[in-house]
Structures are given as C-alpha cells and as structure tokens.
Amino acid sequence: MTERRDTFIDTHVHLDAPEFLPDLAAVRARARDRGVACCVLPAVQAQDFERARALAHEFGDAYALGIHPLYVAAAEDEDLARLDQALTRHRDDPRLVAVGEIGLDLFVPALCEEPLRTRQLFFYRAQLKLAKKHGLPVILHVRRSADLLLQGLRDLAGPGQAWLGIAHAFSGSLQQAQAFTALGFKLGFGGALTYERATKLRELARVLPLEALVLETDAPDIPPHWLYTTAAQREQGLAQGRNEPGELPRIAQTLAELRGLDLAQLARATRANALAALPRLGPLLGAPASAAVACRD
C-alpha cells in the first residue's frame, strides 16, 4: 500500500540511543500515529551497525552506516574496513539508504586539537570514498565545520560528478547552505529552529528554496523549545523533556509558519526532498525510485 504523501520523514533519529531502551516500541508507535511514516537511523560507530539495521527492519524504517566524528577517538583504523564490509554485505538491503553519520565536529575543544583534528579528517575523507565506492548518499555531521566538509566533497567528487545526501542539523551561513545545495545536498532542520532566539537559523529556514529543506529530530538530542529546561530548572528538579520522532510534526508546524505554508504542503515538499536526497527511501514508501544516483568512482 502506498503511503500518504502528506506524512513525514524523520531524516535523522537515533532510535538505538539508550534513552529509548525502556519504551522504544511505544516511541515508534507514537511517532507513526502522529504521521511520521519513516525514520532514518544513522549509526555512529562500528559496534552499532547491526543494531541500527535490526531496528530499521523491526520498525519498517531505514538506516545508514558510518562512524561519527565524536567517536573517532575510540575508533580503530580497522573500523573503516568493517564499514566497507558491512556496506558490501548489505548492498542489496533496500533499507540501507546512506553512509552516515559522518563528518567533522570543530565545536568540541578536544576535537579541534591534534591528533584528533587530523584523525577526524582522515575518517571523513575515507568514508566519503566508501560512499562513492558503494554508490550511496552521505549524511553529514556539520558542526562549525562547513567549509572543511565542502572542501572534502569538492576534492573527492570528480569531474562532472555530484553528491547526494543531507547536511544534518544545518546551522551555517546562507553562502554555505548554497554551496551544499549546489553540490547536491539537502539541509536538515529540526528542534533548534523552534527557539525564537535562533534568529539567524529561523531566517535561513525561511529564505532558502523549499526544495533544499528536509525535516529531522536528531532525537533524543536537540529538543524543541517545549521540551527544554534550563540549568536552574533542572536544579529545582524539573526533568529535561525527551526528544523523540513523534515531535516532528510540531517542529514542522514551526517551519510551515515561518514560510507561510500549511502543514500538509510542507509535509509533501519535505517528503519529496528526502526521497531526492536518499533515493532508496522511495521504494520503501511506495514512490518511484529516483533516477538520480549517488557519486561514484
């Protein structure tokens, strides 16, 4: 049965996070009841590859395999070979939609210093090469690292080739946004844009072409404003609300209001954008497979 086109795709959610262990099935069921038809589950380290895959199959979702920049300090060089082997082993799995979550993080101070800065770059570029080898899009972690990520993409694309994928939790400049979209990327927006003080991010979400945007929660991380508690509130015993994929429609409503769209309109547009960024999602949701292909050697 073909899914409705006004349902939502959460293009980035970590259902394998320990925060969801007590009630994971209920979390996913709640999201589906609220119109989240599909979640993309990116792995963050080699030991999580099979867990991400198993959850995607259990809940009818999709997954990506990669080594996150926050995990490169603990990763072994052999983990890149493990990633290559997993991508080969599961190449015919329709639920494998990307290489990710990969990228660079220059927000965490320790990762800005040597040797971890260079190690991040090594893992990033090696995983871009694996994405090309396996013909898959990439899901990028972009945290104060947009220009270096763009440089790697340009260096490795090859003449006349284009990438597919998503720059997750995007918060760069308009110029950087335009550079990513020119290379074939969509930009992920989530809970951060629900904060009125995030004026630059909200303006970016408002003025970018609609075809550049996809929705995400990054749950359990990046809670929307209605789940956030301050340090003072936490000291007084008020718990931080847990972000989950079921929050996506309400996040989408914020984006729809910023752009002057109705929610169903935004759902259809961002769903189409997600299918363009991650073409293997199309057949999972009863949509025609995209003719676009990821960057290959």
Side-chain angles (χ1 to χ4, degrees), residues 53-162:
R53 180 176 183 269
L55 289 177
H57 280 265
E58 179 178 354
F59 295 115
D61 288 321
Y63 69 101
L65 300 179
I67 300 166
H68 191 293
L70 293 181
Y71 289 80
V72 299
E76 302 173 346
D77 289 358
E78 291 77 12
D79 286 344
L80 292 168
R82 295 185 183 103
L83 175 57
D84 189 16
Q85 291 161 6
L87 294 172
T88 300
R89 185 165 61 252
H90 302 309
R91 66 175 52 179
D92 296 324
D93 184 350
R95 299 191 182 278
L96 173 61
V97 297
V99 171
E101 176 178 0
I102 70 172
L104 299 169
D105 192 307
L106 297 180
F107 175 80
V108 177
L111 294 179
C112 300
E113 304 294 332
E114 297 298 349
L116 289 183
R117 182 184 176 99
T118 295
R119 187 156 182 79
Q120 281 194 81
L121 283 163
F122 167 69
F123 269 79
Y124 170 54
R125 294 175 74 93
Q127 291 181 97
L128 286 183
K129 292 175 183 177
L130 288 176
K132 288 180 65 179
K133 174 182 176 180
H134 292 277
L136 287 169
V138 291
I139 297 174
L140 293 177
H141 178 93
V142 189
R143 205 172 184 206
R144 294 191 182 174
S145 57
D147 290 338
L148 274 177
L149 291 170
L150 288 164
Q151 179 182 328
L153 293 167
R154 291 174 181 132
D155 288 347
L156 296 172
Q161 294 180 328

